[in-house]
Amino acid sequence: MNDMLNGIPEFVEAVEAGGFSAAAARMNLSRSAIGKTIAKLERRLSVRLFHRTTRTQSLTDEGQAFYERCRRALDEIQSGEAMLESGKREVAGRLRISMPVLFGRRCIAPLLMELARAHPNLELDLSFSDRIVDLLDEGFDLAIRNGPLRDSTGLTARSVARHRMVVCASPAYLAKRGTPQAIADLEDHDLIAYARAGEVKSWTFPQANGVDIEYMPKTRLRFDDLEVMADAAAVGMGAALLPCWLIRSQVLAGNLSTVLTDLSGLTFHAHAVWPQTPHLPLKTRAVIDLLAARLPQVME
């Protein structure tokens, strides 16, 4: 029983950091130490958790299932610690949080309002911006970031949710142009693309063999706002790759339909990121635990 958690924090960190090297940097360990710990865990479980190449690691199906359960277990432990701590002190004080504009407004802010109502002495200073803020220089206590983490020197991160991306279009558009059955069929369709600083982002379709298919959409419609993309798709301007949480109401209303649903949809993590500290303040822990517990439900 005492050995059950051996290797679990390292395994979870390797998944959420995106690789052994990044996990090692976050945990102040060597890459070889992380690799050896996970290899020992795999031997104990008699299962391979990662597909390994010389440069990358990706989860096996068994590894993905195991990760999700390990993450929930660690969340419960951390929630238990927070509960004990909350019995000693009140969640109070000022907390500055940076978050992406649309994701923050749609998914995060409503949860934080619940927390503020439950703790009258908690002060929330929320900043909505799609740029990557410098937490230390700009005085933020916490930031929510989507996708792979960039340089995280001096920071600690925790995955609080996963976005699932789907291809969607309006029923009227699909009735006129046909429903794509394979990625190659997208060549015959009008596509709506996301672009930042003039750079169009490719569409990623993970495959069962662990090799992703990168598809570059050819389009005359490019936006740097996901909400506008969803609106354009809903009025029949073409197909778009969008997060499930954004289009859920449009799908339920019949304005959008999902396509290529037999393909594995791209998923990426939403992370809570904060400056490294030996003692995480209760107010910060309360927000992180709330997001980890509730965001996955909000985003389904």
Side-chain angles (χ1 to χ4, degrees):
M1 179 65 73
N2 292 337
D3 296 334
M4 286 186 66
L5 289 179
N6 285 352
I8 299 300
E10 291 84 354
F11 166 64
V12 170
E13 194 68 55
V15 175
E16 297 180 353
F20 292 2
S21 296
R26 290 189 193 178
M27 301 185 79
N28 294 317
L29 298 171
S30 67
R31 186 188 185 285
S32 62
I34 294 290
K36 290 176 182 177
T37 299
I38 291 176
K40 184 177 180 180
L41 176 63
E42 289 177 322
R43 288 195 298 271
R44 177 163 67 86
L45 298 173
S46 298
V47 69
R48 181 172 291 277
L49 300 172
F50 286 96
H51 296 297
R52 294 171 175 81
T53 68
T54 55
R55 293 190 301 174
T56 63
Q57 303 86 37
S58 60
L59 283 174
T60 62
D61 290 343
E62 294 85 355
Q64 180 65 51
F66 188 59
Y67 161 73
E68 292 172 359
R69 286 162 175 76
C70 288
R71 180 68 269 175
R72 287 198 294 270
L74 292 180
D75 286 344
E76 286 297 322
I77 293 172
Q78 291 164 343
S79 296
E81 292 176 349
M83 178 189 67
L84 293 176
E85 188 177 2
S86 65
K88 303 172 186 176
R89 295 189 286 117
E90 182 185 8
V91 178
R94 180 169 178 257
L95 195 62
R96 293 195 68 212
I97 308 174
S98 171
M99 64 193 73
V101 178
L102 185 57
F103 181 50
R105 187 171 70 239
R106 289 285 192 94
C107 298
I108 299 174
L111 297 179
L112 296 185
M113 294 307 98
E114 291 183 21
L115 189 69
R117 280 194 293 269
H119 301 282
N121 291 321
L122 175 65
E123 301 177 30
L124 293 178
D125 185 346
L126 308 183
S127 175
F128 298 83
S129 174
D130 290 330
R131 70 182 180 88
I132 303 298
V133 302
D134 188 313
L135 276 76
L136 298 175
D137 286 350
E138 299 180 48
F140 284 98
D141 301 293
L142 186 69
I144 308 302
R145 293 179 179 169
N146 290 327
L149 294 176
R150 301 178 185 177
D151 180 20
S152 56
T153 304
L155 301 176
T156 302
R158 175 181 171 187
S159 175
V160 291
R162 290 193 304 159
H163 301 257
R164 186 167 64 90
M165 306 292 287
V166 293
V167 180
C168 61
S170 72
Y173 171 86
L174 295 173
K176 179 180 179 180
R177 300 291 297 274
T179 300
Q181 303 297 322
I183 296 172
D185 295 342
L186 295 174
E187 294 290 327
D188 300 323
H189 284 268
D190 298 330
L191 303 180
I192 303 166
Y194 182 82
R196 289 294 295 272
E199 180 184 355
V200 175
K201 302 299 182 183
S202 63
W203 295 5
T204 303
F205 296 95
Q207 304 299 295
N209 61 7
V211 179
D212 295 346
I213 294 178
E214 294 287 339
Y215 178 81
M216 181 57 69
K218 301 178 181 64
T219 177
R220 64 187 179 91
L221 295 179
R222 297 173 290 274
F223 304 103
D224 65 357
D225 185 291
L226 295 178
E227 200 164 28
V228 175
M229 290 175 61
D231 290 341
V235 297
M237 296 302 295
L241 181 69
L242 293 166
C244 284
W245 56 264
L246 175 61
I247 67 168
R248 178 175 55 214
S249 60
Q250 296 261 40
V251 171
L252 292 175
N255 299 324
L256 288 173
S257 297
T258 58
V259 300
L260 299 177
T261 53
D262 57 325
L263 297 175
S264 298
L266 169 68
T267 61
F268 59 91
H269 287 275
H271 288 91
V273 182
W274 63 94
Q276 288 181 354
T277 175
H279 302 290
L280 188 64
L282 179 60
K283 59 186 179 181
T284 309
R285 181 184 296 278
V287 169
I288 296 169
D289 286 344
L290 173 68
L291 296 182
R294 296 284 303 283
L295 266 182
Q297 303 167 23
V298 171
M299 293 166 61
E300 282 298 322

